[in-house]
Amino acid sequence: MKMHRDILVIEDDEDDREILQEIFRELGYKNKIVFFADSTEALEYIRRPEVNPFIIISDINMPKLGGFELRNIILDEELLSDKDIPYIFISNAQDEASIRDANKLSIQGYIHKSADYNNYREKIKNLIDYWKDNVGSFKNKKK
């Protein structure tokens, strides 16, 4: 089932990756969590035909290829858009322009990185639980 496939996390900041690794370890999901510090490497990974992740969680501000640009590529490339992968942004940005720009990219969520570990953990848990509960519902409605 898709809900047990890999969760991709694209985050260039090492400290943020470590926090997310700890959160996912604590939450204990059966999914393999695949981390990328470089969004261009993540793009090459998801372009592989056999790769069909459960969800992508991506930072916005990254060197080489930012989160907005990555999302645009996924939407524009038929092979990638056909994979129908929920795409969630995580960011420190809370300004209206960033949120508006993110929403224009047909994302499925936007999480503000919280300085409060427990709050951040709860946001991640709610996100994953939501998609685990609803991934089949959305697929069935498309048919």
Side-chain angles (χ1 to χ4, degrees), residues 7-35:
I7 295 172
L8 303 182
V9 179
I10 308 166
E11 172 60 70
D12 65 309
D13 184 271
E14 185 176 352
D15 292 335
D16 287 342
R17 279 195 314 275
E18 288 176 8
I19 290 168
L20 286 164
Q21 285 173 329
E22 180 63 20
I23 286 172
F24 278 110
R25 187 191 63 72
E26 285 181 13
L27 293 175
Y29 293 112
K30 292 179 182 177
N31 307 69
K32 178 180 175 186
I33 314 300
V34 182
F35 284 90

Side-chain angles (χ1 to χ4, degrees), residues 24-83:
F24 278 110
R25 187 191 63 72
E26 285 181 13
L27 293 175
Y29 293 112
K30 292 179 182 177
N31 307 69
K32 178 180 175 186
I33 314 300
V34 182
F35 284 90
F36 292 93
D38 183 325
S39 54
T40 60
E41 291 175 9
L43 179 59
E44 291 308 310
Y45 178 78
I46 60 176
R47 279 180 170 150
R48 294 171 28 199
E50 72 277 10
V51 172
N52 192 10
F54 169 62
I55 197 166
I56 296 173
I57 301 171
S58 172
D59 192 9
I60 292 175
N61 298 313
M62 295 181 285
K64 294 185 185 177
L65 183 66
F68 290 157
E69 293 84 10
L70 175 60
R71 179 62 177 157
N72 270 320
I73 291 169
I74 290 171
L75 291 171
D76 289 343
E77 289 186 22
E78 188 174 355
L79 171 71
L80 300 179
S81 64
D82 284 350
K83 291 185 179 192

